[in-house]
Amino acid sequence: MIHRREEAAVAGRLEGKNTLITGAGSGLGRATALRFAREGARVACADLDPDAARSVAEEIGPAALALTADVTSLRDTEEMTRRAIAEFGHLDAVFANAGVAGTGTAADVTEEYWDRVIGINLKGVWLTGRAVLPHMVERGEGVIINQASMGGLVGIPGIFPYTAAKGGVIAMTRQMAVEYGPSGVRVNAICPGTIFTPLVARSRAERGASGADDAEANAAAARRFPLRRLGEVDDVASLALYLASDEANWVSGGIYPVDGGRAAM
């Protein structure tokens, strides 16, 4: 006879779960898609780049679906959600992860650039939730994980529009958790510190900083974190896995730094 704890370990922590991840073609989204799949989930991999979405879905195999979506478009996010539900039958968890870098200060960022960063990093998270919430409310259960940032918790020079958007995601997460908790929907946010994804590399390049392969710059950056190392994509994927799983079934409205202790300083 197999004990329940052993059975759960064998089955996988997301066994039988249907999930959707935006920005799944690279970085944190890709790592999380692969992790969810390893833990038994079916994964709808959505990305603005159709080749990137197809690549990660092919890496996962039959349990994955590749979708192309612009998260700043209500039509796209609704179609993305419709297709995922049509393929899987329902959605248990959605990770609103798609985002872009956003450099500049309050005095020099252009209106056009501000609109783009806010549009993807804040509006895109809202539209993803907006598209999936009616489905989850009707089912009486569901999980939404919003990608925020350490920059939404503390001031970081040179990335003003990015931190503004991520601060909005944090506030929005709390609001959604309060409004939709009575319908059985859990909503949480993850706030990563520095992890050298393509997004962070682009941000560094825009600010004229050293690249991700600069060992001296990386060592200096690591010293700013109490744990004295930079993050890795699996650090975020592991938390997303927990929040999407039944292990977190009484966890909602949480804002979770994954930053080596930086936000505590």
Side-chain angles (χ1 to χ4, degrees):
M1 180 176 180
I2 299 176
H3 294 294
R4 290 182 62 187
R5 183 174 299 176
E6 294 171 347
E7 186 176 35
V10 171
R13 295 164 70 188
L14 296 183
E15 192 70 31
K17 302 285 188 183
N18 299 320
T19 64
L20 167 66
I21 299 174
T22 66
S26 65
L28 301 177
R30 178 180 179 277
T32 303
L34 295 173
R35 186 68 179 276
F36 278 15
R38 288 198 301 271
E39 292 290 344
R42 292 195 289 184
V43 188
C45 305
D47 203 280
L48 183 61
D49 181 345
D51 292 334
R54 190 179 308 112
S55 176
V56 69
E58 288 175 351
E59 187 172 353
I60 290 171
L65 170 69
L67 299 171
T68 304
D70 176 356
V71 296
T72 68
S73 163
L74 176 60
R75 182 176 63 182
D76 272 24
T77 53
E78 288 183 339
E79 177 63 11
M80 168 187 75
T81 303
R82 186 197 68 78
R83 287 189 59 196
I85 293 171
E87 178 72 18
F88 295 157
H90 70 272
L91 285 172
D92 297 288
V94 172
F95 185 18
N97 163 76
V100 294
T103 58
T105 68
D108 66 22
V109 68
T110 66
E111 183 178 8
E112 180 183 19
Y113 188 73
W114 164 272
D115 288 344
R116 177 175 182 269
V117 175
I118 296 296
I120 297 172
N121 290 358
L122 180 57
K123 180 184 177 183
V125 172
W126 163 54
L127 288 180
T128 300
R130 187 185 190 277
V132 75
L133 274 166
H135 170 70
M136 291 184 171
V137 169
E138 183 179 1
R139 292 190 70 233
E141 61 181 337
V143 179
I144 296 174
I145 304 166
N146 293 328
Q147 188 72 283
S149 169
M150 182 181 74
L153 298 171
V154 299
I156 301 175
I159 55 171
F160 170 70
Y162 183 82
T163 60
K166 295 304 187 177
V169 170
I170 289 170
M172 183 167 61
T173 297
R174 293 187 174 118
Q175 185 75 9
M176 291 168 69
V178 169
E179 289 187 333
Y180 293 98
S183 298
V185 181
R186 299 192 289 107
V187 189
N188 293 285
I190 298 176
C191 298
T194 302
I195 300 171
F196 276 122
T197 63
L199 183 149
V200 172
R202 284 193 295 272
S203 177
R204 289 174 66 85
E206 288 179 13
R207 287 181 288 160
S210 300
D213 59 349
D214 188 313
E216 184 176 344
N218 291 347
R223 287 193 291 271
R224 294 196 291 268
F225 295 84
L227 289 181
R228 296 298 189 266
R229 72 168 177 88
L230 299 180
E232 299 176 356
V233 292
D234 280 343
D235 294 327
V236 171
S238 294
L239 180 56
L241 169 63
Y242 165 71
L243 292 173
S245 76
D246 291 339
E247 297 165 24
N249 63 12
W250 208 51
V251 176
S252 192
I255 310 301
Y256 294 96
V258 186
D259 65 356
R262 182 71 173 85
M265 294 176 65

